[in-house]
Amino acid sequence: MEVRIEHSWKEVLKDEFDKPYFGHLVSFLHQEKESGITIYPPGPKIFNAFELTPFNSVKVVIIGQDPYHNPGQAEGLSFSVPDGVTPPPSLINIYKEISDDLGVPLRQGGSLRDWARQGVFLLNAVLTVRAGQPTSHSRIGWQTFTDAVIRTLSDRRDGLVFLLWGNFARGKRELIDTSRHTVFEAAHPSPLARGAFFGCRHFSKTNEVLVREGLSPIIWA
């Protein structure tokens, strides 16, 4: 199956695109669109995380659940919204933790595209959603695909840092070879976690690992 995705990812995932489940997934999305259903993010941004962070550029993986379901928010990167859109509460809490952890001013703007370009792979486990219906595409095959993405990173790269926030993301730990990669876990940054995310210091800890691996640290602020 011909899938429009960044070349390096297309190469390492080529077997996945030919599996029956992926064909069913694509057919389902076409049917939704033909039925007049609005899907987020827009088609060209579904694989935005892959486009901005090629396979061999990945240094850090942050796993989200599914895209934002309100108009103008989803841009194909976990936790990120386009600049000009009010940052959602979880993203604001991420910014607060960065400020406290690194002793820097509170980050402004909602887009994390600059992280992606530095090697932070912002992967949602589910890559599409119906407008106004959270988790509506959680059972159409995306998780089979993104689980394969995580396994491929684990098997074919070394020294990555995986940030698993909340129980859903923590469930992906079993896909990661922890003898080859570093995994940091914390509560979800959502306000529903009642501040349990704060104090995890994942941003400074990640940079410490990257420097130890001989890689440039991420400019988080």
Side-chain angles (χ1 to χ4, degrees):
M1 176 171 292
E2 185 67 22
V3 177
R4 294 179 61 185
I5 191 171
E6 192 275 333
H7 176 74
S8 64
W9 284 106
K10 190 171 188 175
E11 182 63 26
V12 298
L13 298 172
K14 58 186 177 183
D15 291 343
E16 217 60 33
F17 298 132
D18 290 328
K19 292 180 179 179
Y21 86 86
F22 199 87
H24 294 321
L25 188 163
V26 172
S27 295
F28 179 90
L29 293 176
H30 283 317
Q31 291 170 8
E32 293 263 279
K33 187 174 181 180
E34 289 169 3
S35 299
I37 295 170
T38 299
I39 295 172
Y40 297 135
K45 291 188 176 181
I46 290 174
F47 292 109
N48 205 20
F50 300 81
E51 184 67 31
L52 294 176
T53 316
F55 181 73
N56 287 320
S57 298
V58 175
K59 297 191 287 189
V60 182
V61 182
I62 298 179
I63 299 174
Q65 191 161 354
D66 71 337
Y68 296 118
H69 58 272
N70 292 325
Q73 288 187 313
E75 62 171 356
L77 306 172
S78 62
F79 294 101
S80 179
V81 295
D83 283 331
V85 175
T86 301
S90 293
L91 186 54
I92 290 173
N93 282 347
I94 291 170
Y95 289 175
K96 288 178 179 177
E97 177 60 21
I98 290 171
S99 179
D100 290 345
D101 183 14
L102 302 179
V104 295
L106 205 63
R107 182 181 168 101
Q108 302 299 310
S111 181
L112 304 179
R113 292 170 67 90
D114 60 311
W115 290 5
R117 292 192 179 99
Q118 294 178 75
V120 182
F121 186 46
L122 297 162
L123 178 68
N124 276 320
V126 178
L127 298 187
T128 58
V129 67
R130 283 183 175 183
Q133 298 182 39
T135 72
S136 50
H137 284 177
S138 62
R139 298 179 184 274
I140 68 172
W142 277 129
Q143 290 195 62
T144 302
F145 173 71
T146 54
D147 281 358
V149 170
I150 295 168
R151 285 195 197 94
T152 301
L153 282 166
S154 176
D155 294 345
R156 299 183 63 166
R157 295 290 312 279
D158 286 297
L160 301 180
V161 179
F162 290 82
L163 303 183
L164 309 182
W165 298 336
N167 290 334
F168 177 85
R170 283 170 161 168
K172 304 299 182 181
R173 184 185 179 98
E174 65 184 21
L175 306 173
I176 303 164
D177 184 347
T178 55
S179 70
R180 297 171 61 177
H181 306 283
T182 300
V183 177
F184 291 128
E185 299 183 25
H188 196 278
S190 166
L192 297 176
R194 299 172 185 257
F197 175 74
F198 296 129
C200 68
R201 300 189 65 244
H202 280 184
F203 306 97
S204 60
K205 290 177 180 178
T206 293
N207 280 350
E208 288 169 3
V209 173
L210 294 178
V211 170
R212 192 164 64 239
E213 292 285 338
L215 301 171
S216 57
I218 304 299
I219 300 172
W220 298 106

